[in-house]
Amino acid sequence: MQIVTTHKGTDFDGLASLIAATMIYPDAVPVLPKSVNANVRAFMAIHKDLFEILHPREINLDEVTQLIVVDTNSWKRLDGFAPLQERDDLTIHIWDHHHGGDIKADMVRNEGYGSAVTHLILELEARRMVLTPILATLFLIGIYEDTGSLTYPSTTPEDARAVAWLLDRKADLSVLSGFLKQVYGEKQKSVLFEMMKNPERRKVNGYTLSFAAVPIEGHVANLSVVVNMFLDLENSDAAFGVFYDGEGSKCMIIGRSTAENLDMGKLMRTLGGGGHPGAGAAQFKSDFHNPDAVFTMLCNLVENDQVASVQLGDIMSFPVVSVEATTPMETLGELLRERGCTGVPVTDNGKVVGVISRRDFKKIRKEKQLKSPVKAYMTPSVVEIEAEKSPLEAARLMIKHDIGRVPVVEDGRMIGIVTRTDVMRYYYDLIPD
């Protein structure tokens, strides 16, 4: 007997992978865990008649000869299949996109795509298999959910290629919004309220981290949605929600990160959990008496993270060409032509007081205006950024303020400048090794 199953708390990527696997393994029986997330539950309430799905309690484990696992590589995340760990005669295939895992398999497909179902879709495409519009739509929801509609940093070209193939098979985009809803009810609202009462912020390894610990009574679904909202409200590089039961015997940590070099999945794998670069979670038994100790533990993990962080100090231009506020515009014009730069900072006794660009120089209409000081035409509001910040943060400032260059400061002193060109070179891998 062949069976295919996925992780507890099944999301759309897990469900889509489960169904897609039955097309690749036509003799396999799909086994859906008892616990699924609210969006999947809503989908199955309407579509369950389309799929002949069994539950773990309906499977006689003694009859299982092959186990196909999708969207996870962890025994503890499977529902009711722990006894199969002791079987030496069991063939195991894994289709996943998470790093790590403890299931020893005969075949593993994990190319690190943004979603697990992408692996299976590309296999279906290679086999020239026919999809109904409903199946194509389900598979599309699976990809969109795990890649944030192809916007998460973990998204790969293969995910986009799979989406194009599904759309060509009449996947219905209008259906997505109906099921990819973040469930946010009274319980979630109450938890977020508690998190915002007294959050803690710490600066670690160049990142701003926010923490909140909240006791949880009973089951509260979609805590990840709450942590996402907490991250947005705190406007930090990363946020951690620490949730524990009343007796303090169990602790769950959910982390979210917007920093390009802070791999949340890697941090959570250190704690026995897992996830993606932007999102991760871990659950463990612990005597929870001191939230500050848990925060410190997480800070230590971030501090000791060996992922190289590219900072503005690594890509900025220096020494900086600048002009004094009293410099005549005529002199500025000569400088811009000689240096070939599009703009420079304006200083007054060594302090940056503005920025002036070629665009400002073009405002001159009369020859006598060439004698005017730079300060008469400069943009006086200075947007600065610290050297340990990332290129992503510099890009955000440029977009927000519609500027092409930002002075880089350290201890209040300008040490360099980062331009649009510097940022583009970094993002498009044009910086030489």
Side-chain angles (χ1 to χ4, degrees), residues 260-281:
E260 54 194 323
N261 291 305
L262 181 54
D263 190 331
M264 193 60 66
K266 178 182 176 183
L267 296 180
M268 291 303 163
R269 284 193 292 277
T270 305
L271 299 174
H276 309 285

Side-chain angles (χ1 to χ4, degrees), residues 184-201:
Y184 183 68
E186 289 301 321
K187 285 186 176 182
Q188 290 78 15
K189 187 184 299 183
S190 176
V191 172
L192 181 61
F193 178 75
E194 292 298 321
M195 294 179 75
M196 295 304 301
K197 274 186 177 179
N198 191 27
E200 182 168 339
R201 291 170 69 91

